[in-house]
Amino acid sequence: MSVITTEKHQNILVIISNNPPVNALGAAVRQGLVDGIEEALSDDEIEAVVVRCDGRTFFAGADITEFGKPMQGPNLGEAIDRLEASDKPVVAAIHGTALGGGCEVALACHYRVAVPSAKMGLPEVKLGLIPGAAGTQRLPRVVGAEAALPMVVIGNPISAKKAHAIGLVDQIVGEGSLAEDAIAFAREQIGKEPPRSSEGTANEDGIKNPAIFDEFRRKNGRKIRGFDAPEAGIQAVKAAGELSYADGVKKEGELFMKLMTGTQSAAMRHYFFAERAANKIDGIDPKIDLIPIKKVGILGAGTMGGGIGMNFLSAGIPVTIVELKEEALERGVGVIRKNYENTAKRGRMTEEQVEGAMSILTPSLSYDDLADCDLVIEAVFENMDVKKEVFAKLDGIVKQGAILASNTSYLNIDEIAAVTKRPEYVLGLHFFSPANIMKLLEIVRGEKTADNVLMTAMKLSKRIGKVAAVSGVCPGFIGNRMLSPRQEQANIMIMEGANYWDVDDVLLDFGFPMGPFQMSDLAGVDIGWHRDPERIETLRDALCAAGRWGQKVGKGFYDYNEARQRTPADEVKQIIAEFAAKAGKEQREISKDEIRERLLYPMVNEGAKILEEGMAQRASDIDVVWINGYGWPLYTGGPMFWADTVGLDNVVAGLKKHGLPVAKLLEEKAAAGGKFNG
């Protein structure tokens, strides 16, 4: 059956797309749209046209599988220009999502009607691109530059209500009567001169007030820093006001092609597919029977336990949270409520939703209340003896067939599982702090973890809004294991003469939100310190003995003002110099290039070892971990994709130049001119 069909409803021709799952705008759909409009124009009985889609959504965007391949049939711009050129009114009937190319199709139609639940957007920026079928030129002409900027540059979809308010949608129609209402609306437009979005004048707001663009850059500076596509989007929207439509489309095309052929978009498209690939577990049938998770137990109501619990409460899954002391339990529950109330104050939740989440939370001081949970996650002190004691106790209390999970960030899951009589039901669920906000969930597969247990955890991660990646059992799993050599090199370099602020700045320039010494100050330099100011064996001991415990006391590696802005501290420079002298380390100038290589190349090398040992299924899973859990800049595609971009031979040469070890897999791939991805 053809993906595009037409139906005549007296004097209205309805062009219908049925291209599951999301009516992507592939070659057959584009050709079908052209054929449909030609049919309408050549039939004298037809006086108006409706374009709609079967299935769960309007056109949800381009067919991403066509990226980088030769174009078949009409391109999207050509196809939708034919819609706009029609002298018979064309109405887009929108349900589900009209995203990217789908939004551009709707813009090329003369009118747009939508059901209340519909969403519209131009999310191309999330793939390092801008719209490429005149979306940046039509949208500002319909809604104005100010309303167009966030849609093009930030890329988040907007509701039908918002689209109607800004003039993008002409009418909101019945949720269950879209087809009929769209035809009725089309009939009302017969005989009127069709309004063409390419001829709209709303974009004049950017000419009358050119400050709109700089103001937008300033307001969104942190969000768009380092990315190429947002600036291209701003330039394209600005061009819509300054240039003719034809010249604006040409400008959009130039900006689009520059992005499409650049490394950032390649990296972001790689990540798009990497996140989807991470959900697939080699050798496990995705249709395997899963364990129903109707109730979750959390052991520990501290920062981590409370944050973990919020994920499940927000998804409507009842949680029992257990602490040993009343005071700790009350404090933990209080923090959960306060977090929800703050979210409500920012307008991201209603009071009813806050109360709804809190109503399914059961605080308890007894392990016995975890007996009927389907999943229990421990978030207690990071100590193997403590974890073993907890798991042995849980194993005797929690019902058979329930999953026992540890939130450990480093410890051996197999060793923990061995103290239970159900090792196949034990795995690691490593949440990242703050656990209610951070997207990453490292799922640690023990040697005996059952397939259905692993797949249940993967499915559940999606339900609670996490991006999951599977790791094998090794110290630090994927993320922390790769963080170790970076931290080690950072510490070695400041002993050799590198300024610690330069080390941080190199990572900031690369695109990380913070460097290792800033991170240490934020977390607390005193974490794990032995608390004896007379015992000074390490640099950290010396900083702690001097009261430099980090941001919380206004001084750590850096001095902090009231706004928490950092400045390098003379006292710290002196302490480092004394330690270097004591260790007999010769001081030298260390360039920013060397700092970058010595921080990042060992991480790639550790990633290669992780792959070599089978601790990660694929290189792209490592990229998913680092982008979601550690702030690795998305526009580089993650450490392994970045290494491919830099050239594995260059990574190997750099490691050897600095006297650092080279993994066998890395050496082999570099020698063969290969890559980690593809």
Side-chain angles (χ1 to χ4, degrees):
M1 192 180 122
S2 172
V3 290
I4 296 275
T5 53
T6 57
E7 289 176 359
K8 272 177 88 165
H9 292 256
Q10 297 162 343
N11 58 343
I12 308 293
L13 186 75
V14 184
I15 301 172
I16 304 162
S17 174
N18 186 4
N19 185 29
V22 293
N23 284 302
L25 288 153
V29 174
R30 298 192 300 269
Q31 187 60 55
L33 285 173
V34 171
D35 294 344
I37 202 71
E38 295 303 333
E39 181 186 336
L41 295 176
S42 62
D43 186 338
D44 292 341
E45 288 178 12
I46 297 299
E47 294 181 271
V49 180
V50 170
V51 178
R52 70 170 179 83
C53 296
D54 279 343
R56 56 191 171 98
T57 183
F58 192 72
F59 304 108
D63 185 344
I64 199 164
T65 62
E66 291 185 349
F67 277 20
K69 294 176 186 170
M71 180 63 66
Q72 302 291 313
N75 68 36
L76 186 58
E78 291 163 352
I80 65 180
D81 281 351
R82 305 278 267 281
L83 293 178
E84 193 188 57
S86 166
D87 55 6
K88 297 177 181 181
V90 181
V91 179
I94 302 162
H95 76 296
T97 51
L99 298 179
C103 188
E104 289 177 300
V105 170
L107 277 164
C109 294
H110 305 131
Y111 302 96
R112 290 155 291 282
V113 301
V115 298
S117 61
K119 286 185 161 57
M120 298 182 75
L122 293 167
E124 286 86 349
V125 69
K126 295 177 191 293
L127 292 178
L129 298 168
I130 60 170
T136 67
Q137 301 307 299
R138 285 193 174 101
L139 182 64
R141 286 173 165 82
V142 173
V143 305
E146 194 165 9
L149 278 169
M151 289 185 72
V152 172
V153 180
I154 307 300
N156 295 330
I158 61 171
S159 66
K161 185 181 172 188
K162 175 77 189 279
H164 186 244
I166 65 175
L168 179 54
V169 163
D170 297 288
Q171 193 175 92
I172 306 279
V173 297
E175 195 70 56
S177 55
L178 175 63
E180 301 80 6
D181 291 352
I183 289 169
F185 181 88
R187 283 211 171 96
E188 290 169 18
Q189 314 316 319
I190 292 168
K192 297 177 188 174
E193 178 63 29
R196 294 179 171 83
S197 52
S198 62
E199 296 165 2
T201 56
N203 55 333
E204 287 171 4
D205 63 339
I207 298 293
K208 289 174 188 157
N209 180 15
I212 284 172
F213 301 99
D214 281 339
E215 179 58 25
F216 185 83
R217 283 186 185 98
R218 188 192 59 73
K219 192 173 154 198
N220 295 282
R222 277 184 70 183
K223 218 178 280 180
I224 63 182
R225 184 174 80 94
F227 289 88
D228 293 338
E231 180 54 35
I234 293 170
Q235 288 178 29
V237 172
K238 198 162 188 273
E242 295 171 346
L243 304 176
S244 69
Y245 176 73
D247 287 345
V249 170
K250 195 176 162 201
K251 172 81 171 170
E252 177 193 88
E254 288 164 4
L255 290 165
F256 177 87
M257 282 314 296
K258 191 174 177 190
L259 293 170
M260 187 68 175
T261 54
T263 55
Q264 282 202 3
S265 179
M268 291 166 78
R269 280 178 276 138
H270 158 77
Y271 176 74
F272 178 87
F273 289 113
E275 194 179 299
R276 279 144 191 80
N279 284 314
K280 298 179 178 73
I281 313 299
D282 295 343
I284 301 183
D285 181 356
K287 294 190 177 74
I288 194 169
D289 286 340
L290 303 180
I291 299 163
I293 305 293
K294 292 176 183 161
K295 187 176 181 187
V296 172
I298 311 280
L299 197 57
T303 306
M304 208 64 206
I308 292 169
M310 286 178 73
N311 291 294
F312 297 98
L313 296 171
S314 300
I317 301 169
V319 169
T320 298
I321 196 161
V322 174
E323 256 297 350
L324 298 179
K325 293 185 178 156
E326 182 76 49
E327 186 192 347
L329 186 63
E330 281 180 12
R331 187 170 57 243
V333 171
V335 169
I336 291 174
R337 176 172 279 283
K338 192 177 169 196
N339 283 342
Y340 275 135
E341 285 171 351
N342 287 339
T343 305
K345 273 181 201 157
R346 290 195 295 270
R348 291 182 192 151
M349 271 180 107
T350 62
E351 290 299 331
E352 291 76 26
Q353 285 171 319
V354 172
E355 294 311 320
M358 293 305 294
S359 72
I360 54 171
L361 174 65
T362 305
S364 169
L365 294 169
S366 169
Y367 272 64
D368 293 340
D369 289 335
L370 300 171
D372 63 342
C373 290
D374 304 299
L375 164 68
V376 177
I377 304 167
E378 68 73 18
V380 301
F381 189 60
E382 187 76 339
N383 172 286
M384 182 56 89
D385 293 337
V386 173
K387 302 272 191 198
K388 283 179 171 177
E389 191 184 320
V390 162
F391 268 77
K393 197 170 175 182
L394 287 173
D395 190 41
I397 292 170
V398 181
K399 67 181 181 184
Q400 287 305 305
I403 300 170
L404 304 181
S406 174
N407 178 53
T408 179
S409 56
Y410 206 84
L411 300 174
N412 188 312
I413 292 294
D414 293 333
E415 205 178 317
I416 293 170
V419 302
T420 74
K421 295 185 181 72
R422 58 174 108 184
E424 69 278 15
Y425 283 90
V426 176
L427 81 173
L429 292 178
H430 178 208
F431 288 82
F432 285 68
S433 189
N436 54 311
I437 292 166
M438 291 293 280
K439 296 277 283 182
L440 181 66
L441 178 58
E442 249 183 338
I443 298 182
V444 187
R445 181 185 198 173
E447 189 190 345
K448 294 185 176 169
T449 304
D451 289 354
N452 67 330
V453 169
L454 184 64
M455 290 309 283
T456 297
M458 291 299 285
K459 190 82 172 170
L460 189 61
S461 67
K462 219 169 192 174
R463 197 170 152 198
I464 62 171
K466 298 296 181 199
V467 175
V470 175
S471 170
V473 176
C474 57
F477 315 128
I478 294 171
N480 285 340
R481 177 171 168 178
M482 287 171 67
L483 187 62
S484 284
R486 187 182 90 178
Q487 197 64 44
E488 186 185 357
Q489 283 301 307
N491 293 333
I492 290 169
M493 281 190 282
I494 62 170
M495 288 295 144
E496 291 175 358
N499 297 315
Y500 65 87
W501 57 92
D502 282 341
V503 173
D504 281 346
D505 286 348
V506 162
L507 288 187
L508 288 173
D509 292 344
F510 185 76
F512 278 96
M514 62 179 67
F517 302 107
Q518 285 173 282
M519 198 188 291
S520 184
D521 278 359
L522 182 65
V525 181
D526 62 321
I527 287 181
W529 179 47
H530 50 63
R531 306 279 154 185
D532 179 358
E534 301 302 314
R535 195 175 123 208
I536 297 175
E537 295 159 3
T538 66
L539 175 60
R540 186 183 69 169
D541 292 347
L543 292 174
C544 289
R548 304 193 70 92
W549 293 7
Q551 256 193 43
K552 59 191 170 191
V553 295
K555 56 183 188 174
F557 278 91
Y558 297 94
D559 290 328
Y560 293 90
N561 63 15
E562 279 111 31
R564 296 203 165 191
Q565 287 170 315
R566 65 191 169 105
T567 46
D570 290 335
E571 185 182 16
V572 175
K573 292 180 210 171
Q574 188 58 41
I575 291 171
I576 292 170
E578 285 166 12
F579 261 85
K582 226 183 286 178
K585 292 277 183 190
E586 201 179 312
Q587 302 292 285
R588 65 183 176 89
E589 285 273 320
I590 298 183
S591 72
K592 288 203 167 186
D593 282 345
E594 181 180 338
I595 292 171
R596 186 172 56 254
E597 289 175 3
R598 287 177 63 182
L599 291 175
L600 301 184
Y601 287 0
M603 294 175 67
V604 172
N605 190 63
E606 199 64 40
K609 282 159 73 176
I610 287 169
L611 289 171
E612 223 172 82
E613 295 164 20
M615 294 295 111
Q617 288 188 103
R618 46 186 88 83
S620 61
D621 286 3
I622 295 173
D623 293 334
V624 167
V625 167
W626 268 86
I627 283 170
N628 287 288
Y630 297 83
W632 187 288
L634 172 61
Y635 52 76
T636 69
M640 309 315 276
F641 185 86
W642 173 76
D644 289 342
T645 310
V646 170
L648 301 190
D649 52 344
N650 290 325
V651 175
V652 169
L655 287 165
K656 288 179 175 174
K657 178 174 70 181
H658 302 303
L660 297 167
V662 179
K664 183 167 165 277
L665 180 68
L666 175 57
E667 182 108 63
E668 285 170 358
K669 281 192 176 290
K675 291 182 170 187
F676 287 118
N677 294 281

